[in-house]
């Protein structure tokens, strides 16, 4: 009967060369994201890493979140993470959204509220859900659109936060219709009023172009 393997010294331990970088990146991701359930989030992180999927990681630490009394709901950073994970296609399944939402340790009741507001079926238009997420963050139409610009922009942080006007128009129209108090001619009038700024910016729009519009709230 062969003797069991015996470890005599540390030099005999085989450490995969990629392990230090994996653990370093994981630690940095956890610090930036600040998950409420570290074990659940860790399992989601390594599953995504193994599958080559978008990681459930914020771009940066949201310092203001740590000071909130109830720090459990959707934040701009988490909505941006969801957008990176689910925006590859125009639609996503309800099951996939629930999976990504849970992986970020977000409350299920908040997701169910958003799904109910949008009257979504098993297949979800991602940009419509994204718009509802911005609405949950902003509370008013104006602030919701501002969040949409800040999350979707490819501009550097603390800059103009420009996004394509077509994208802005879709989000604005969807939220305005959902509100129910605005007629289509009012929606068209507002979008047409922004055209001069949009043309100057080569089809882009930024919060300063619409933030002072009175009828939006």
């Amino acid at each position: 009967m062969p003797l069991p393997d015996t470890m005599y010294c540390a030099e005999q331990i085989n450490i995969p060369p990629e392990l230090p970088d994996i653990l370093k990146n994981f630690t940095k991701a956890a610090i930036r994201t600040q998950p409420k359930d570290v074990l659940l989030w860790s399992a989601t992180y390594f599953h995504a890493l193994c599958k080559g999927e978008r990681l459930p990681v914020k771009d940066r630490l949201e310092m203001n979140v740590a000071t909130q009394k109830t720090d459990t709901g959707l934040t701009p950073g988490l909505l941006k993470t969801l957008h990176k994970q689910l925006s590859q296609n125009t639609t996503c399944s309800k099951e996939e959204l629930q999976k990504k939402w849970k992986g970020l340790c977000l409350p299920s009741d908040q997701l169910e509220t958003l799904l109910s507001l949008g009257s979504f079926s098993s297949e979800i238009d991602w940009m419509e859900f994204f718009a509802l997420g911005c609405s949950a963050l902003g509370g008013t139409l104006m602030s919701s659109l501002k969040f949409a610009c800040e999350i979707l922009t490819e501009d550097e942080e603390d800059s103009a936060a420009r996004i394509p006007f077509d994208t802005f128009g879709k989000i604005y129209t969807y939220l305005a219709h959902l509100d129910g108090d605005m007629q289509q001619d009012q929606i068209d009038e507002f979008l047409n009023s922004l055209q001069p700024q949009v043309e100057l910016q080569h089809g882009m729009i930024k919060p300063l172009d619409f933030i002072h519009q009175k009828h939006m709230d």
Side-chain angles (χ1 to χ4, degrees), residues 165 168 172 185-199 205 209-216:
F165 184 66
F168 173 88
Y172 169 75
D185 59 344
Q186 293 176 291
I187 296 172
D188 294 338
E189 181 181 355
F190 170 71
L191 292 175
N192 289 335
S193 73
L194 298 174
Q195 285 296 333
Q197 297 99 305
V198 172
E199 291 174 4
I205 189 169
D209 295 331
F210 61 80
I211 200 167
H212 298 301
Q213 296 288 337
K214 294 181 179 179
H215 78 275
M216 291 177 60

Side-chain angles (χ1 to χ4, degrees), residues 4-6 16 50 54 98 163-164 189:
D5 292 339
T6 303
C50 179
R54 287 276 189 175
Q98 290 171 326
I163 64 172
E189 181 181 355

Side-chain angles (χ1 to χ4, degrees), residues 141 171-183 187:
L141 185 53
I171 295 173
Y172 169 75
T173 301
Y174 176 73
L175 291 178
H177 278 307
L178 200 65
D179 182 75
D181 292 332
M182 199 175 298
Q183 301 300 315
I187 296 172

Side-chain angles (χ1 to χ4, degrees), residues 41-179:
W41 177 83
S42 299
T44 304
Y45 176 93
F46 284 111
H47 177 81
L49 185 65
C50 179
K51 296 292 185 179
E53 299 173 350
R54 287 276 189 175
L55 299 176
V57 179
K58 291 181 184 179
D59 287 348
R60 61 182 183 278
L61 177 65
E62 293 179 284
M63 296 301 295
N64 62 312
V65 173
T67 64
Q68 295 178 3
K69 293 181 180 179
T70 54
D71 178 16
T72 57
L74 192 64
T75 68
L78 291 173
L79 183 55
K80 185 172 185 177
T81 301
L82 283 170
H83 182 70
K84 288 182 177 180
Q85 292 178 307
L86 295 168
S87 64
Q88 290 86 352
N89 299 310
T90 56
T91 64
C92 67
S93 69
K94 182 178 179 180
E95 181 182 5
E96 184 66 11
L97 174 56
Q98 290 171 326
K99 177 183 174 183
K100 300 300 186 186
W101 188 274
K102 182 179 179 181
L104 288 171
C105 308
L106 288 164
S108 58
D109 57 342
Q110 187 178 32
L111 175 59
E112 292 307 314
T113 297
L114 294 175
L115 291 174
S116 177
L117 283 172
S119 300
F120 294 111
S121 60
S122 58
E123 199 69 16
I124 295 169
D125 183 299
W126 171 249
M127 287 307 297
E128 290 183 0
F129 184 86
F130 174 83
L132 283 178
C134 291
S135 180
L137 294 172
T140 66
L141 185 53
M142 179 176 68
S143 56
S144 300
L145 291 167
K146 184 173 182 291
F147 273 117
C149 289
E150 292 171 348
I151 292 170
L152 295 176
T153 188
E154 295 184 3
D155 291 340
E156 294 182 1
E157 186 180 356
D158 298 325
S159 58
R162 298 166 300 169
I163 64 172
F165 184 66
D166 286 347
T167 300
F168 173 88
K170 290 176 183 177
I171 295 173
Y172 169 75
T173 301
Y174 176 73
L175 291 178
H177 278 307
L178 200 65
D179 182 75

